[in-house]
Amino acid sequence: MMEKTVTVSNGAGMVYAEKEPDNTLSPEDLSELLAAGTKEVHEKAESTQFVKDFLRGRIRKELFKLGAVALYFTYSAMEDEIERNKDHPHFAPLYFPNELHRREALARDLEYFYGADWQDQVSCSSATQHYVDRIHQVGREDPVLLVAHAYTRYMGDLSGGQVLKKVAQRAMKLPPTGEGLDFYTFDAIHSAKAFKQLYRSRMNELELDRDTKDRLVVEANLAFQFNMEVFNELEEIGKTIQEEVLDAGMPVHGATDGDINKCPYYAAKTAASGGSAYACQLAMAVLRHPTGQVLFAAWVAALAGLAAWYLM
């Protein structure tokens, strides 16, 4: 088998290299069980209105800010519990604070959006509190389940999250230097792909029996459910906010006069899925649209980034 060397730090500032075999994963590997076991709920999460609007670039700035608040409380809870359990044998190999931890980055984003007194202006919402309570519970009572929460959040951040960063930056006309989007920036990770491979290999090397692996799959599904509750809560809040939608996405299906050939989403999705000559024809139609000329590549990248979750 071919091997490659992945160089990372161990979270304490030390740098080391380890060889990672390029071999075929077993269906019994934890990373494979989690990917397969969360596929259905992952698709449901992507189908929530909040996520669909985000991917289209239809972003309400106030909702984006509230989403960052929810993430701040979620990651604060998770990283508190990770620190508490960093020496636990079932989590220690996945302890990468320098590379992965997001609380400080989110604090910078909130200061950008709310000002220096941001902590006095934000609070934990009801749906987020349910998520936070569960994270603290498993951290205290069953730390191995933290693996499911870390996997669900961090691996997603390194995958589709990078596409969402570009969409949000464009839609809200945020500075090109990245202010307000520190959450999506992983300065200590030079190759997201290589790091995810390393992280998955560490997960697969954990000495866990099948019952524990099954419990981790259940917990990962629960984590997705908590995320969907937060998305749905934001969607309900959005109904009460009178604010112009910042639209950097593609025209919706209703703007095609019933002709699916004019639908840029359909063309992009067809092309991204493997494509026939017909898909190419539709893609060309998109590129003739003024907005499509700018955003077609970004939309295909979004689909590919989300699909990449299932290959983790």
Side-chain angles (χ1 to χ4, degrees):
M1 294 286 182
M2 296 291 292
E3 288 188 338
K4 58 184 174 181
T5 299
V6 179
T7 303
V8 296
S9 79
N10 66 351
M14 297 178 63
V15 177
Y16 67 94
E18 63 178 55
K19 288 187 176 181
E20 179 190 2
D22 183 18
N23 54 9
T24 302
L25 293 171
S26 164
E28 297 300 310
D29 284 337
L30 179 58
S31 65
E32 294 298 286
L33 290 171
L34 284 169
T38 59
K39 185 176 186 295
E40 182 177 350
V41 71
H42 191 174
E43 291 174 348
K44 290 181 180 179
E46 291 172 2
S47 298
T48 59
Q49 192 61 45
F50 179 79
V51 173
K52 288 192 293 186
D53 285 345
F54 198 134
L55 287 172
R56 292 175 181 178
R58 296 182 59 81
I59 301 173
R60 296 187 179 201
K61 191 172 184 179
E62 285 304 312
L63 286 188
F64 184 84
K65 290 162 60 176
L66 290 174
V69 171
L71 289 171
Y72 175 79
F73 285 106
T74 299
Y75 280 89
S76 293
M78 188 166 69
E79 289 164 9
D80 280 344
E81 295 305 331
I82 287 174
E83 287 297 321
R84 185 205 305 268
N85 294 283
K86 64 183 179 181
D87 297 321
H88 191 284
H90 290 153
F91 195 87
L94 303 178
Y95 181 64
F96 290 101
N98 290 346
E99 293 79 10
L100 294 176
H101 284 194
R102 299 287 86 200
R103 174 165 40 191
E104 292 183 6
L106 284 160
R108 291 193 295 272
D109 289 342
L110 294 178
E111 183 174 1
Y112 174 82
F113 286 116
Y114 288 97
D117 63 342
W118 65 270
Q119 289 178 304
D120 297 328
Q121 300 184 52
V122 304
S123 60
C124 188
S125 70
S126 177
T128 305
Q129 189 64 54
H130 293 158
Y131 197 175
V132 165
D133 289 344
R134 178 58 182 175
I135 291 171
H136 283 309
Q137 180 184 4
V138 301
R140 292 190 303 265
E141 300 175 4
D142 201 357
V144 68
L145 296 183
L146 284 174
V147 173
H149 290 278
Y151 165 85
T152 301
R153 288 296 340 169
Y154 292 130
M155 294 298 98
D157 299 336
L158 287 170
S159 299
Q162 300 311 294
V163 175
L164 298 180
K165 175 183 178 180
K166 296 178 181 178
V167 174
Q169 187 174 52
R170 181 173 58 248
M172 295 185 291
K173 298 179 174 59
L174 295 174
T177 47
E179 286 89 340
L181 297 168
D182 279 349
F183 169 69
Y184 299 104
T185 302
F186 293 81
D187 289 331
I189 296 178
H190 302 296
S191 169
K193 179 180 179 180
F195 187 86
K196 287 188 293 182
Q197 289 174 335
L198 172 64
Y199 198 89
R200 289 195 302 269
S201 70
R202 291 289 190 89
M203 289 174 56
N204 295 336
E205 290 167 3
L206 295 175
E207 295 185 2
L208 305 172
D209 58 30
R210 182 54 193 254
D211 178 68
T212 302
K213 291 178 180 179
D214 289 342
R215 291 197 300 116
L216 280 166
V217 172
V218 172
E219 191 68 23
N221 276 274
L222 188 59
F224 271 106
Q225 292 288 348
F226 282 125
N227 278 284
M228 282 191 287
E229 288 179 14
V230 173
F231 295 153
N232 291 333
E233 182 182 62
L234 288 170
E235 181 63 25
E236 288 301 310
I237 293 173
K239 295 176 182 179
T240 69
I241 296 176
Q242 298 299 318
E243 179 188 4
E244 181 181 356
V245 174
L246 301 168
D247 190 352
M250 308 285 271
V252 296
H253 296 284
T256 65
D257 297 323
D259 184 358
I260 196 170
N261 291 339
K262 298 179 182 179
C263 175
Y265 292 118
Y266 182 82
K269 186 172 182 179
T270 304
S273 67
S276 61
Y278 183 58
C280 294
Q281 180 181 358
L282 290 176
M284 291 303 295
V286 173
L287 292 175
R288 286 193 292 270
H289 190 283
T291 306
Q293 292 171 0
V294 179
L295 300 179
F296 176 74
W299 180 247
V300 174
L303 291 169
L306 292 170
W309 245 92
Y310 303 127
L311 302 178
M312 291 194 308

mmCIF file of all heavy atoms in Angstrom, residues 25 73 118 202 235 287-288:
data_model
loop_
_atom_site.group_PDB
_atom_site.id
_atom_site.type_symbol
_atom_site.label_atom_id
_atom_site.label_comp_id
_atom_site.label_asym_id
_atom_site.label_seq_id
_atom_site.Cartn_x
_atom_site.Cartn_y
_atom_site.Cartn_z
ATOM 1 N N LEU A 25 -11.059 1.380 3.747
ATOM 2 C CA LEU A 25 -11.685 1.376 5.063
ATOM 3 C C LEU A 25 -12.623 0.184 5.193
ATOM 4 O O LEU A 25 -13.212 -0.284 4.229
ATOM 5 C CB LEU A 25 -12.463 2.670 5.273
ATOM 6 C CG LEU A 25 -11.621 3.944 5.373
ATOM 7 C CD1 LEU A 25 -12.533 5.167 5.354
ATOM 8 C CD2 LEU A 25 -10.781 3.938 6.632
ATOM 9 N N PHE A 73 -22.271 29.474 21.823
ATOM 10 C CA PHE A 73 -22.652 28.736 23.032
ATOM 11 C C PHE A 73 -22.448 27.227 22.847
ATOM 12 O O PHE A 73 -22.049 26.527 23.783
ATOM 13 C CB PHE A 73 -24.103 29.044 23.409
ATOM 14 C CG PHE A 73 -24.276 30.401 24.035
ATOM 15 C CD1 PHE A 73 -24.858 31.446 23.329
ATOM 16 C CD2 PHE A 73 -23.832 30.646 25.328
ATOM 17 C CE1 PHE A 73 -25.002 32.703 23.902
ATOM 18 C CE2 PHE A 73 -23.975 31.899 25.918
ATOM 19 C CZ PHE A 73 -24.555 32.930 25.201
ATOM 20 N N TRP A 118 -20.351 42.859 23.156
ATOM 21 C CA TRP A 118 -21.204 41.813 22.591
ATOM 22 C C TRP A 118 -21.717 40.829 23.632
ATOM 23 O O TRP A 118 -22.838 40.325 23.526
ATOM 24 C CB TRP A 118 -20.468 41.065 21.478
ATOM 25 C CG TRP A 118 -19.265 40.284 21.929
ATOM 26 C CD1 TRP A 118 -17.981 40.730 22.008
ATOM 27 C CD2 TRP A 118 -19.240 38.916 22.363
ATOM 28 N NE1 TRP A 118 -17.152 39.740 22.465
ATOM 29 C CE2 TRP A 118 -17.899 38.614 22.687
ATOM 30 C CE3 TRP A 118 -20.207 37.916 22.510
ATOM 31 C CZ2 TRP A 118 -17.509 37.356 23.152
ATOM 32 C CZ3 TRP A 118 -19.831 36.670 22.968
ATOM 33 C CH2 TRP A 118 -18.492 36.398 23.290
ATOM 34 N N ARG A 202 -7.566 8.446 13.290
ATOM 35 C CA ARG A 202 -7.508 8.433 14.754
ATOM 36 C C ARG A 202 -8.805 7.871 15.342
ATOM 37 O O ARG A 202 -8.791 7.118 16.312
ATOM 38 C CB ARG A 202 -7.272 9.860 15.280
ATOM 39 C CG ARG A 202 -5.893 10.436 14.971
ATOM 40 C CD ARG A 202 -4.807 9.747 15.810
ATOM 41 N NE ARG A 202 -3.540 10.453 15.696
ATOM 42 C CZ ARG A 202 -3.168 11.456 16.478
ATOM 43 N NH1 ARG A 202 -3.973 11.909 17.422
ATOM 44 N NH2 ARG A 202 -1.996 12.020 16.305
ATOM 45 N N GLU A 235 -35.347 29.953 11.699
ATOM 46 C CA GLU A 235 -36.328 30.179 10.647
ATOM 47 C C GLU A 235 -37.578 30.851 11.216
ATOM 48 O O GLU A 235 -38.133 31.773 10.607
ATOM 49 C CB GLU A 235 -36.701 28.855 9.985
ATOM 50 C CG GLU A 235 -37.700 28.970 8.849
ATOM 51 C CD GLU A 235 -37.168 29.783 7.675
ATOM 52 O OE1 GLU A 235 -35.936 29.858 7.504
ATOM 53 O OE2 GLU A 235 -37.990 30.349 6.936
ATOM 54 N N LEU A 287 -24.848 30.034 -17.447
ATOM 55 C CA LEU A 287 -23.728 30.946 -17.630
ATOM 56 C C LEU A 287 -24.115 32.169 -18.449
ATOM 57 O O LEU A 287 -23.401 33.185 -18.427
ATOM 58 C CB LEU A 287 -22.560 30.207 -18.288
ATOM 59 C CG LEU A 287 -21.914 29.135 -17.415
ATOM 60 C CD1 LEU A 287 -20.847 28.381 -18.206
ATOM 61 C CD2 LEU A 287 -21.301 29.750 -16.167
ATOM 62 N N ARG A 288 -25.216 32.082 -19.169
ATOM 63 C CA ARG A 288 -25.673 33.252 -19.913
ATOM 64 C C ARG A 288 -26.437 34.217 -19.019
ATOM 65 O O ARG A 288 -26.685 35.353 -19.386
ATOM 66 C CB ARG A 288 -26.555 32.825 -21.100
ATOM 67 C CG ARG A 288 -25.749 32.205 -22.240
ATOM 68 C CD ARG A 288 -26.584 32.094 -23.498
ATOM 69 N NE ARG A 288 -27.660 31.127 -23.370
ATOM 70 C CZ ARG A 288 -27.540 29.841 -23.676
ATOM 71 N NH1 ARG A 288 -26.394 29.378 -24.135
ATOM 72 N NH2 ARG A 288 -28.568 29.029 -23.536
#
